[in-house]
Amino acid sequence: MNKALVWTVVLCCTAAVAGCSAGPKEPADTGSSDSAAGLSKDPVTVKIMMGGLDDNEFQKYIVEPVSKKYPQITVERVGKNSKLPDMVAAGDIPDIVSNYPGPMASNLRDYKLVYNMEPLMKKYKFDTGRFAPEVLETLKIAGGQDYLAGSPLYTNTFALFYNKDIFDKFGVPYPKDGMYWDEVAELGQKLTRMDNGVQIRGSSRKASAGFSSDCPFLSPILR
């Protein structure tokens, strides 16, 4: 498969799932064209090892948008009951993989399948501004490389709830938007105390360590 073809499929995938939202949205046009991408009209099958979407979502957000825009491309989901190392050993390597950046990048690195997507993003004028900058940075850091090896599929969203009455009672300032977990834990320490026989516990570093902002991503394997 040629690089231009694989990259166009990635454009369709990211547009279809509207990366960096709380979940997939309706498909959107990427603005790319067959002539701009230099696509062949010859029929081709693209194999995707997909995590993060069930079969119905895969059909709605991946298969149908790609088929509508590029009828010559058939999208096939592979590896549902297999692991990537086993597929590599069998010579059945998917064209695109999707998973959380940490474990996925580790597997791809082990088999020298990590590919720097940034030159193709620049060449085909792919708008990375549609994604939150911190999400793109997460893909790099968690994947262990200083470039984008894929694009976001969706992100997890967290909210912090707190009792204003308790903060007011102990004279502790409310949490603010954009705080780091360490700052939240420091506020929690100020609230953790025994009050008239009632044990009050604030958020702690140990509790916050259980949260993750990993963003599942799509990564094409170009051969």
Side-chain angles (χ1 to χ4, degrees):
M1 180 178 298
N2 64 63
K3 295 183 179 181
L5 177 57
V6 177
W7 178 236
T8 302
V9 174
V10 175
L11 290 180
C12 294
C13 291
T14 55
V17 298
C20 286
S21 63
K25 297 180 180 178
E26 290 301 320
D29 195 339
T30 63
S32 62
S33 65
D34 287 0
S35 58
L39 291 181
S40 169
K41 295 294 185 179
D42 296 335
V44 66
T45 296
V46 176
K47 297 181 179 181
I48 302 181
M49 187 176 188
M50 171 66 69
L53 299 179
D54 61 30
D55 287 341
N56 290 334
E57 291 170 331
F58 182 79
Q59 184 72 25
K60 181 178 181 179
Y61 298 116
I62 305 295
V63 176
E64 292 177 5
V66 171
S67 177
K68 182 178 180 180
K69 190 172 182 64
Y70 301 102
Q72 74 271 32
I73 299 176
T74 298
V75 177
E76 178 185 348
R77 188 172 195 173
V78 299
K80 288 185 63 176
N81 300 313
S82 304
K83 296 182 179 180
L84 184 59
D86 296 333
M87 296 182 70
V88 173
D92 185 21
I93 303 175
D95 301 300
I96 299 174
V97 292
S98 169
N99 208 324
Y100 291 92
M104 180 54 65
S106 177
N107 282 337
L108 295 180
R109 281 199 306 270
D110 290 345
Y111 295 100
K112 303 184 186 304
L113 296 175
V114 177
Y115 188 86
N116 183 354
M117 296 302 302
E118 292 183 1
L120 288 179
M121 288 178 172
K122 182 177 180 180
K123 179 178 180 179
Y124 293 105
K125 298 179 174 58
F126 180 67
D127 181 18
T128 57
R130 67 203 303 189
F131 306 120
E134 58 269 21
V135 175
L136 296 181
E137 195 63 23
T138 294
L139 295 185
K140 295 179 183 180
I141 295 173
Q145 70 279 329
D146 60 0
Y147 54 82
L148 289 172
S151 58
L153 180 60
Y154 62 84
T155 61
N156 297 319
T157 301
F158 301 107
L160 177 65
F161 297 89
Y162 60 93
N163 189 325
K164 287 187 175 182
D165 292 339
I166 295 178
F167 280 81
D168 292 339
K169 182 175 183 177
F170 299 132
V172 177
Y174 300 148
K176 298 179 181 180
D177 289 340
M179 296 182 72
Y180 290 97
W181 273 118
D182 283 349
E183 296 173 300
V184 173
E186 288 177 7
L187 287 183
Q189 289 177 342
K190 296 177 181 178
L191 294 173
T192 302
R193 64 185 72 187
M194 185 70 71
D195 182 62
N196 294 325
V198 177
Q199 178 64 59
I200 297 176
R201 300 183 187 277
S203 179
S204 66
R205 288 182 175 82
K206 182 177 181 180
S208 64
F211 291 91
S212 169
S213 60
D214 279 358
C215 175
F217 77 128
L218 295 168
S219 178
I221 299 175
L222 306 185
R223 303 187 291 279

